[in-house]
Amino acid sequence: LGECDPHGAKPCCNQATGWCGCGFEFCECQSCISFAPSLIQSPSLSQNNAGGICKDNGAGLPGLWEPATRQSEDGNADIRSKGEDNVAVLVLARLDSLAETRKVARLLRGLRSCKWLAQRNAPVFLLHDHHLVPPCAGPAGLQSDECSALLGFWGPSLHLVNVSSSFKAPAAFQSLSGVKGFPLSYAVMCEFWATAVFQLREVQGLKYFLRLDADATITCEASAKDAFDILKSHQAHYGYYVLGRDEAYVSAGFLEHLRTYLTSEEGRHDANVKRSLGVHQVVIDNSTAPVFYNNFEVVDVAFFSSRPVQMYTQAVLQSEGIYHNRWGDGVIRYGQLLAGSARVVCLDGLYAY
């Protein structure tokens, strides 16, 4: 594979066309990748940055995010955003190759356009499960000049979180090469977002988190509303941008399991579930499972940590549907929200994603 000249006037490639260029259609689209050595300007790198990407390096982007820190009970720094509610951005990323790291760099560049996140000084946690590729693997990590040149200079706002201990299949399934045509790591990822993420120390202290996938892009207009405020004002537990139907071959048995659980003694925990079951009966009687496209989602941590949701999630894990039938975290989200009688709000159209 060829690369565009990282120091030239056209440092980005639109992989759909194969052409090098500059601007959104080459640097920030879904199929785009940048080979530029730096994506945003930083004071410490200005000597090496020579005008930056497209000679418009960071123009119009908000300043550095500087989340507040305090000492936690275990003596570690507790990273906090500004405001009444503690929030964060979570990105599950592979950082074991330069190509994968550049995908994260593209996501981070777009994220800086979301001024409502900058105003909150929301920390960004890069959750990784592989060895880091140089230059971010050195002793200075994200704060090194070389890593900052690749990911952009974020100061204390960007954090690496090694989730290797939480990102592995149960022993009974570790010998599998894949599930329903998907690699085993995909099923592990589904289990991670369905349950393990809520056990992370960095997540347990949050009110909300915004989840983004590393191979995505997001941009916000200057007038874009604060997604966390939208959830709070609607007293909602979940924000999403698309609700659809999953493929039948990867959701086999899911709706039957959901119906059985909701009508069981464990599922009938209060009258709200009975009302929800009545409203959604036509939905869960369908042959294909509802699925949230949750590579963009805004999550109320306390709701997903609540007893009704945790009881349902444990029932899903005990069914082994993730590893036998490749139930995805998007359909499991639907079941979790129904089991917990959640309020949800659609965020479609508010952000370019």
Side-chain angles (χ1 to χ4, degrees), residues 41-288:
Q41 190 170 16
S42 83
S44 64
L45 298 175
S46 57
Q47 296 293 326
N48 303 323
N49 213 11
I53 191 168
C54 304
K55 296 184 179 180
D56 184 22
N57 201 6
L61 297 178
L64 298 179
W65 299 354
E66 296 181 354
T69 61
R70 62 178 175 82
Q71 290 298 114
S72 61
E73 292 181 0
D74 59 7
N76 296 318
D78 186 10
I79 310 300
R80 301 186 63 83
S81 60
K82 286 183 178 178
E84 180 181 347
D85 299 317
N86 194 25
V87 302
V89 179
L90 304 186
V91 181
L92 183 63
R94 289 183 58 187
L95 298 172
D96 58 345
S97 73
L98 197 56
E100 294 293 339
T101 306
R102 281 174 172 152
K103 290 181 182 179
V104 176
R106 182 183 63 185
L107 170 64
L108 293 176
R109 177 175 168 80
L111 193 61
R112 295 200 75 141
S113 68
C114 300
K115 294 183 177 179
W116 54 276
L117 281 169
Q119 289 170 351
R120 284 181 173 269
N121 285 334
V124 180
F125 294 111
L126 298 182
L127 314 178
H128 66 95
D129 68 315
H130 288 85
H131 295 297
L132 299 178
V133 66
C136 300
L142 295 174
Q143 306 307 318
S144 70
D145 283 355
E146 294 81 4
C147 187
S148 294
L150 185 62
L151 295 180
F153 186 73
W154 285 74
S157 302
L158 192 62
H159 304 270
L160 290 172
V161 180
N162 190 327
V163 296
S164 296
S165 61
S166 304
F167 200 84
K168 54 186 178 183
F173 301 105
Q174 289 178 4
S175 62
L176 294 179
S177 59
V179 182
K180 293 290 186 76
F182 289 76
L184 179 62
S185 60
Y186 188 89
V188 174
M189 179 273 292
C190 294
E191 182 177 0
F192 176 83
W193 284 115
T195 179
V197 66
F198 299 103
Q199 308 305 317
L200 297 179
R201 185 181 68 85
E202 292 81 2
V203 171
Q204 290 181 340
L206 299 176
K207 171 63 176 174
Y208 304 113
F209 68 73
L210 166 64
R211 168 193 171 180
L212 297 169
D213 278 9
D215 58 354
T217 57
I218 181 172
T219 55
C220 302
E221 298 292 338
S223 60
K225 297 180 180 179
D226 185 318
F228 302 120
D229 280 346
I230 293 174
L231 250 67
K232 190 171 185 177
S233 64
H234 285 79
Q235 296 183 321
H237 305 105
Y238 188 71
Y240 70 99
Y241 81 108
V242 173
L243 174 62
R245 292 277 184 179
D246 211 353
E247 298 288 345
Y249 80 100
V250 293
S251 57
F254 176 80
L255 288 178
E256 181 180 359
H257 178 269
L258 178 59
R259 283 194 298 268
T260 300
Y261 178 82
L262 292 176
T263 55
S264 69
E265 188 66 31
E266 293 83 359
R268 295 195 304 267
H269 67 276
D270 60 31
N272 288 330
V273 169
K274 294 180 181 178
R275 286 195 294 270
S276 295
L277 185 59
V279 170
H280 290 263
Q281 191 68 55
V282 66
V283 177
I284 64 177
D285 278 346
N286 198 285
S287 59
T288 55

Side-chain angles (χ1 to χ4, degrees), residues 275-319:
R275 286 195 294 270
S276 295
L277 185 59
V279 170
H280 290 263
Q281 191 68 55
V282 66
V283 177
I284 64 177
D285 278 346
N286 198 285
S287 59
T288 55
V291 57
F292 287 101
Y293 289 85
N294 58 345
N295 43 15
F296 172 98
E297 62 179 356
V298 183
V299 172
D300 182 329
V301 174
F303 170 82
F304 284 91
S305 302
S306 66
R307 185 173 180 272
V309 176
Q310 287 297 303
M311 288 176 62
Y312 169 73
T313 304
Q314 286 303 310
V316 170
L317 296 179
Q318 291 169 8
S319 75

